[in-house]
Amino acid sequence: MKIGILTSGGDAPGMNAALRAVTCAALKKGIEVFAIYDGYKGMVEGNIKKLTKEDVDEILNKGGTIIRSARLPEFKELEVRKKAVEQLKKHGIDAIVVIGGDGSYMGAKKLDEMGIRCVGLPGTIDNDISSTDITIGFDTSLNTIVEEIEKIKDTGKSHSRCMLVEVMGNRCDDLALYSAIATGANIVISKNHMLSNQQVIDDLKARRNKGEMFELIVIAEKLIDSEKLLKDIQENTDWDARLTILGHTQRGGIPTAMEKVRATQMGYYAVKLLTEGITGVCVGIKDGKLVHEDILEALKKESLVSNDMIEIIDNLD
Ligand code: ADP
Ligand code: F6P
């Protein structure tokens, strides 16, 4: 067996740790490992290079992905995937590890159906994959968000303002809910905790009447027009308000210790599965244990709604 490895979709801190674990675990078993650069794009173009232990020795602590990531919508087309399979065969690669989100998993499953063994690892800051409790990248991103929000709180409190912060998550609640809890935000707008602009305005007025001098609102991206909410607050309340859209700072940075641990566990497990002849599955950690599940079964399920987090947010102030 020869293993190809790629990172696909949005990059996430910890992807390098997973890459290192897969490479080291495979090499130790005498299996060659090939980096496929730029996700499925590099697979189609044949941008493939054999990895040595030295290539991955120093990457455990690095953010991003040293083999780069990309999106290639055309990979949905069979003819494009046939070219990718040809490239893999040219290098003798008969198994792949795909580190990415649900879109990348779909690509992997289709390659599996074309005779390439595959295992998916959950690499995304969004935590929107049902087959794992926590994805590679989520913890680091959450910590970055919390660090940034604490800075925003410093200045917001100094000016008695209402500070709005929009965070990533691609319609998944988790980055918004977890960061709101970790920063003590009273108002959160997320997919499963939607508030209208009027509800936010009424809430802010009520809080003002209680004598509050500072408010923090965490907003999950892609759900509402945050600029419009800011304007509505400014025009309809006596709160001085400011909006920060955190943006791509949330995707970078040194992975947290637990990120590196989990990415290494999952990377190691992926190689173990492939050597046992298991294919078409994605890896996760559930209740602290390494698990795997058929990719299609995993993709059918919605990622879990963090109802307990919503209840906590609604009942703390
Ligand atoms: P993520 O993996 O983070 O969900 P995307 O949804 O952008 O990110 O998917 C990453 C890549 O996976 C896409 O650019 C494409 O190359 C591949 N992909 C996505 N969906 C499919 C699909 N249905 N069939 C084959 N490949 C897909
Ligand atoms: O999926 C990861 C993610 O960072 C989402 O949270 C966000 O919506 C999206 O990717 C941003 O993608 P891009 O880097 O292409 O703007």
Side-chain angles (χ1 to χ4, degrees):
M1 181 169 64
K2 288 184 183 176
I3 297 177
I5 181 162
L6 64 146
T7 47
S8 169
D11 66 315
M15 280 182 162
N16 282 325
L19 167 66
R20 173 180 172 271
V22 169
T23 307
C24 293
L27 291 178
K28 181 127 190 178
K29 289 180 193 292
I31 301 166
E32 286 180 335
V33 183
F34 291 79
I36 301 168
Y37 289 88
D38 305 307
Y40 292 120
K41 182 170 175 283
M43 191 183 281
V44 173
E45 290 170 358
N47 195 355
I48 297 171
K49 183 185 147 267
K50 192 150 93 172
L51 284 172
T52 64
K53 191 156 184 314
E54 290 67 44
D55 289 326
V56 297
D57 255 355
E58 300 297 330
I59 66 170
L60 183 57
N61 217 35
K62 278 202 167 92
T65 158
I66 63 156
I67 56 173
R68 301 189 298 271
S69 191
R71 293 190 174 101
L72 180 71
E74 298 83 359
F75 205 69
K76 289 177 188 156
E77 295 160 26
L78 179 62
E79 289 311 309
V80 175
R81 291 200 302 279
K82 278 186 184 163
K83 283 189 199 150
V85 171
E86 266 170 42
Q87 294 289 358
L88 293 177
K89 290 204 169 139
K90 213 194 278 180
H91 289 83
I93 298 169
D94 49 5
I96 55 164
V97 175
V98 177
I99 310 172
D102 47 10
S104 306
Y105 278 11
M106 204 58 210
K109 186 66 194 177
K110 290 191 176 162
L111 286 172
D112 179 54
E113 286 160 6
M114 295 167 80
I116 303 293
R117 277 185 274 172
C118 71
V119 171
L121 296 182
T124 167
I125 63 165
D126 300 330
N127 210 34
D128 59 353
I129 298 182
S130 69
S131 48
T132 188
D133 288 342
I134 191 158
T135 55
I136 297 168
F138 177 71
D139 189 49
T140 308
S141 181
L142 175 62
N143 277 283
T144 302
I145 293 170
V146 170
E147 226 177 279
E148 296 298 308
I149 292 183
E150 286 304 331
K151 291 175 193 160
I152 291 167
K153 279 168 67 180
D154 285 345
T155 170
K157 284 184 179 174
S158 304
H159 285 264
S160 303
R161 281 174 169 160
C162 170
M163 304 302 274
L164 289 74
V165 184
E166 186 184 289
V167 302
M168 282 187 172
N170 199 20
R171 295 193 180 81
C172 178
D173 287 298
D174 288 5
L175 282 175
L177 294 178
Y178 282 63
S179 64
I181 288 182
T183 56
N186 291 322
I187 305 176
V188 188
I189 300 168
S190 69
K191 188 175 161 196
N192 294 289
H193 195 266
M194 274 307 289
L195 298 172
S196 67
N197 288 9
Q198 192 55 52
Q199 280 174 307
V200 175
I201 288 165
D202 293 344
D203 195 357
L204 285 174
K205 283 182 179 165
R207 288 173 192 278
R208 180 63 102 207
N209 288 339
K210 279 197 278 173
E212 299 291 353
M213 298 294 285
F214 167 76
E215 280 305 331
L216 169 65
I217 304 180
V218 176
I219 306 164
E221 67 170 1
K222 300 184 184 177
L223 294 170
I224 64 157
D225 180 346
S226 301
E227 299 278 358
K228 173 80 169 66
L229 176 61
L230 173 73
K231 198 163 164 273
D232 286 353
I233 292 171
Q234 284 166 336
E235 286 174 1
N236 296 289
T237 74
D238 64 356
W239 283 94
D240 186 18
R242 294 289 185 277
L243 166 67
T244 305
I245 295 173
L246 278 186
H248 286 78
T249 187
Q250 297 163 90
R251 282 243 294 267
I254 297 171
T256 63
M258 280 311 291
E259 200 85 85
K260 287 182 273 191
V261 171
R262 280 188 286 258
T264 302
Q265 286 177 288
M266 291 198 252
Y268 173 80
Y269 190 58
V271 175
K272 200 168 160 196
L273 291 173
L274 285 173
T275 54
E276 287 169 3
I278 295 169
T279 176
V281 297
C282 50
V283 167
I285 297 182
K286 285 202 160 178
D287 301 325
K289 289 196 179 66
L290 282 161
V291 290
H292 62 276
E293 186 179 356
D294 179 83
I295 287 178
L296 283 186
E297 288 306 312
L299 290 179
K300 270 188 217 154
K301 293 181 207 152
E302 283 261 325
S303 60
L304 287 179
V305 179
S306 301
N307 283 326
D308 50 343
M309 296 292 174
I310 291 173
E311 188 183 325
I312 289 167
I313 288 167
D314 284 341
N315 288 287
L316 273 194
D317 72 319

